[in-house]
Short mmCIF file of all heavy atoms in Angstrom, two decimals:
data_model
loop_
_atom_site.label_atom_id
_atom_site.label_comp_id
_atom_site.label_asym_id
_atom_site.label_seq_id
_atom_site.Cartn_x
_atom_site.Cartn_y
_atom_site.Cartn_z
N MET M 1164 32.05 1.61 2.04
CA MET M 1164 32.20 0.31 2.64
C MET M 1164 33.50 -0.25 2.28
O MET M 1164 34.01 -1.13 3.05
CB MET M 1164 31.08 -0.60 2.11
CG MET M 1164 31.16 -2.03 2.75
SD MET M 1164 29.84 -3.16 1.99
CE MET M 1164 30.25 -4.60 2.95
N ILE M 1165 34.15 0.25 1.16
CA ILE M 1165 35.44 -0.33 0.66
C ILE M 1165 36.61 -0.31 1.77
O ILE M 1165 37.29 -1.20 1.89
CB ILE M 1165 35.89 0.52 -0.57
CG1 ILE M 1165 34.93 0.18 -1.66
CG2 ILE M 1165 37.22 -0.12 -1.07
CD1 ILE M 1165 35.07 1.05 -2.92
N ASP M 1166 36.58 0.85 2.56
CA ASP M 1166 37.66 1.00 3.55
C ASP M 1166 37.25 0.36 4.85
O ASP M 1166 37.98 0.56 5.83
CB ASP M 1166 37.98 2.48 3.61
CG ASP M 1166 36.90 3.29 4.24
OD1 ASP M 1166 35.69 2.81 4.19
OD2 ASP M 1166 37.06 4.43 4.69
N LEU M 1167 36.14 -0.43 4.93
CA LEU M 1167 35.71 -0.98 6.23
C LEU M 1167 36.74 -1.81 6.88
O LEU M 1167 36.95 -1.73 8.06
CB LEU M 1167 34.43 -1.79 5.95
CG LEU M 1167 33.80 -2.49 7.17
CD1 LEU M 1167 33.49 -1.57 8.20
CD2 LEU M 1167 32.51 -3.28 6.69
N PHE M 1168 37.45 -2.59 6.04
CA PHE M 1168 38.40 -3.60 6.61
C PHE M 1168 39.82 -3.10 6.60
O PHE M 1168 40.74 -3.83 7.07
CB PHE M 1168 38.36 -4.94 5.72
CG PHE M 1168 36.95 -5.47 5.76
CD1 PHE M 1168 36.22 -5.46 4.61
CD2 PHE M 1168 36.39 -6.07 6.83
CE1 PHE M 1168 34.90 -6.05 4.53
CE2 PHE M 1168 35.06 -6.65 6.78
CZ PHE M 1168 34.33 -6.60 5.67
N SER M 1169 40.08 -1.80 6.14
CA SER M 1169 41.48 -1.35 6.07
C SER M 1169 42.04 -1.20 7.47
O SER M 1169 41.36 -0.51 8.33
CB SER M 1169 41.52 -0.06 5.25
OG SER M 1169 40.74 0.95 5.81
N GLY M 1170 43.23 -1.52 7.65
CA GLY M 1170 43.91 -1.30 8.92
C GLY M 1170 43.46 -2.25 10.14
O GLY M 1170 43.90 -1.98 11.29
N LEU M 1171 42.67 -3.29 9.85
CA LEU M 1171 42.19 -4.14 10.86
C LEU M 1171 42.98 -5.42 10.99
O LEU M 1171 43.45 -5.96 9.86
CB LEU M 1171 40.69 -4.43 10.67
CG LEU M 1171 39.69 -3.32 10.61
CD1 LEU M 1171 38.30 -3.83 10.38
CD2 LEU M 1171 39.72 -2.51 11.90
N ASP M 1172 43.14 -6.01 12.11
CA ASP M 1172 43.82 -7.21 12.30
C ASP M 1172 42.92 -8.32 11.70
O ASP M 1172 41.68 -8.17 11.53
CB ASP M 1172 43.98 -7.54 13.81
CG ASP M 1172 44.96 -6.65 14.50
OD1 ASP M 1172 45.84 -6.06 13.74
OD2 ASP M 1172 44.89 -6.49 15.65
N ALA M 1173 43.58 -9.42 11.30
CA ALA M 1173 42.87 -10.55 10.57
C ALA M 1173 41.76 -11.09 11.43
O ALA M 1173 40.65 -11.27 10.94
CB ALA M 1173 43.89 -11.57 10.24
N TRP M 1174 41.98 -11.26 12.74
CA TRP M 1174 40.88 -11.91 13.57
C TRP M 1174 39.69 -10.90 13.75
O TRP M 1174 38.53 -11.32 13.80
CB TRP M 1174 41.54 -12.20 14.98
CG TRP M 1174 41.72 -11.08 15.87
CD1 TRP M 1174 42.87 -10.32 15.94
CD2 TRP M 1174 40.83 -10.43 16.85
NE1 TRP M 1174 42.72 -9.35 16.93
CE2 TRP M 1174 41.51 -9.38 17.44
CE3 TRP M 1174 39.49 -10.83 17.21
CZ2 TRP M 1174 40.84 -8.61 18.39
CZ3 TRP M 1174 38.98 -10.00 18.25
CH2 TRP M 1174 39.60 -8.93 18.79
N VAL M 1175 39.96 -9.53 13.69
CA VAL M 1175 38.93 -8.67 13.76
C VAL M 1175 38.05 -8.61 12.55
O VAL M 1175 36.85 -8.62 12.51
CB VAL M 1175 39.44 -7.21 14.01
CG1 VAL M 1175 38.28 -6.14 13.99
CG2 VAL M 1175 40.15 -7.11 15.42
N VAL M 1176 38.78 -8.75 11.32
CA VAL M 1176 38.07 -8.86 10.11
C VAL M 1176 37.12 -10.09 9.99
O VAL M 1176 36.01 -10.00 9.64
CB VAL M 1176 39.14 -8.88 8.84
CG1 VAL M 1176 38.40 -9.21 7.50
CG2 VAL M 1176 39.87 -7.63 8.75
N VAL M 1177 37.69 -11.18 10.44
CA VAL M 1177 36.92 -12.48 10.49
C VAL M 1177 35.78 -12.32 11.41
O VAL M 1177 34.56 -12.70 10.99
CB VAL M 1177 37.81 -13.65 10.91
CG1 VAL M 1177 36.97 -15.00 11.11
CG2 VAL M 1177 38.92 -13.92 9.84
N SER M 1178 35.91 -11.69 12.58
CA SER M 1178 34.84 -11.61 13.57
C SER M 1178 33.83 -10.63 12.99
O SER M 1178 32.51 -10.92 13.09
CB SER M 1178 35.38 -11.03 14.85
OG SER M 1178 36.35 -11.78 15.44
N LEU M 1179 34.20 -9.55 12.32
CA LEU M 1179 33.32 -8.63 11.77
C LEU M 1179 32.47 -9.23 10.65
O LEU M 1179 31.18 -9.13 10.62
CB LEU M 1179 34.06 -7.38 11.17
CG LEU M 1179 33.20 -6.18 10.58
CD1 LEU M 1179 32.28 -5.76 11.60
CD2 LEU M 1179 34.11 -5.12 10.14
N MET M 1180 33.11 -10.06 9.76
CA MET M 1180 32.34 -10.73 8.70
C MET M 1180 31.41 -11.71 9.22
O MET M 1180 30.20 -11.76 8.73
CB MET M 1180 33.40 -11.49 7.80
CG MET M 1180 34.32 -10.55 6.97
SD MET M 1180 33.45 -9.79 5.61
CE MET M 1180 33.28 -11.19 4.49
N LEU M 1181 31.75 -12.44 10.27
CA LEU M 1181 30.84 -13.43 10.88
C LEU M 1181 29.65 -12.65 11.55
O LEU M 1181 28.46 -13.09 11.39
CB LEU M 1181 31.54 -14.19 11.99
CG LEU M 1181 32.40 -15.40 11.49
CD1 LEU M 1181 33.13 -16.00 12.66
CD2 LEU M 1181 31.41 -16.49 10.94
N ALA M 1182 29.90 -11.57 12.19
CA ALA M 1182 28.80 -10.79 12.89
C ALA M 1182 27.89 -10.21 11.94
O ALA M 1182 26.68 -10.34 12.04
CB ALA M 1182 29.44 -9.72 13.76
N LEU M 1183 28.48 -9.67 10.76
CA LEU M 1183 27.56 -9.13 9.75
C LEU M 1183 26.64 -10.26 9.11
O LEU M 1183 25.46 -10.06 8.80
CB LEU M 1183 28.31 -8.32 8.68
CG LEU M 1183 29.09 -7.09 9.19
CD1 LEU M 1183 29.90 -6.48 8.02
CD2 LEU M 1183 27.98 -6.09 9.61
N THR M 1184 27.34 -11.40 8.88
CA THR M 1184 26.63 -12.57 8.35
C THR M 1184 25.45 -12.88 9.21
O THR M 1184 24.32 -13.27 8.75
CB THR M 1184 27.58 -13.77 8.14
OG1 THR M 1184 28.58 -13.32 7.20
CG2 THR M 1184 26.82 -14.98 7.46
N PHE M 1185 25.71 -12.89 10.58
CA PHE M 1185 24.69 -13.34 11.49
C PHE M 1185 23.49 -12.36 11.48
O PHE M 1185 22.34 -12.85 11.49
CB PHE M 1185 25.31 -13.36 12.91
CG PHE M 1185 25.68 -14.61 13.50
CD1 PHE M 1185 26.54 -15.47 12.84
CD2 PHE M 1185 25.18 -15.19 14.62
CE1 PHE M 1185 27.06 -16.68 13.31
CE2 PHE M 1185 25.52 -16.35 15.15
CZ PHE M 1185 26.41 -17.15 14.50
N VAL M 1186 23.81 -11.11 11.39
CA VAL M 1186 22.74 -10.07 11.33
C VAL M 1186 21.95 -10.20 10.09
O VAL M 1186 20.60 -10.27 10.16
CB VAL M 1186 23.23 -8.64 11.37
CG1 VAL M 1186 22.09 -7.63 11.29
CG2 VAL M 1186 24.03 -8.39 12.66
N LEU M 1187 22.53 -10.41 8.99
CA LEU M 1187 21.98 -10.51 7.69
C LEU M 1187 21.14 -11.83 7.65
O LEU M 1187 20.04 -12.02 7.02
CB LEU M 1187 22.87 -10.41 6.47
CG LEU M 1187 23.47 -9.02 6.39
CD1 LEU M 1187 24.50 -8.99 5.22
CD2 LEU M 1187 22.42 -7.95 6.19
N ALA M 1188 21.62 -12.89 8.24
CA ALA M 1188 20.93 -14.21 8.39
C ALA M 1188 19.66 -13.95 9.24
O ALA M 1188 18.58 -14.52 8.93
CB ALA M 1188 21.74 -15.19 9.00
N PHE M 1189 19.75 -13.17 10.21
CA PHE M 1189 18.57 -12.99 11.13
C PHE M 1189 17.45 -12.24 10.29
O PHE M 1189 16.34 -12.59 10.38
CB PHE M 1189 19.00 -12.01 12.31
CG PHE M 1189 17.72 -11.61 13.17
CD1 PHE M 1189 17.11 -12.45 14.01
CD2 PHE M 1189 17.33 -10.27 12.97
CE1 PHE M 1189 16.04 -12.08 14.75
CE2 PHE M 1189 16.20 -9.89 13.69
CZ PHE M 1189 15.56 -10.70 14.56
N GLU M 1190 17.96 -11.24 9.47
CA GLU M 1190 16.97 -10.48 8.66
C GLU M 1190 16.38 -11.33 7.59
O GLU M 1190 15.22 -11.26 7.26
CB GLU M 1190 17.65 -9.24 8.03
CG GLU M 1190 17.70 -8.10 9.02
CD GLU M 1190 16.35 -7.72 9.64
OE1 GLU M 1190 15.40 -7.56 8.81
OE2 GLU M 1190 16.23 -7.66 10.88
#
Side-chain angles (χ1 to χ4, degrees):
M1164 184 184 178
I1165 297 172
D1166 64 344
L1167 176 59
F1168 303 108
S1169 62
L1171 299 179
D1172 293 337
W1174 74 271
V1175 176
V1176 171
V1177 172
S1178 300
L1179 182 56
M1180 291 286 287
L1181 278 173
L1183 292 176
T1184 301
F1185 261 59
V1186 177
L1187 295 177
F1189 172 79
E1190 279 306 307

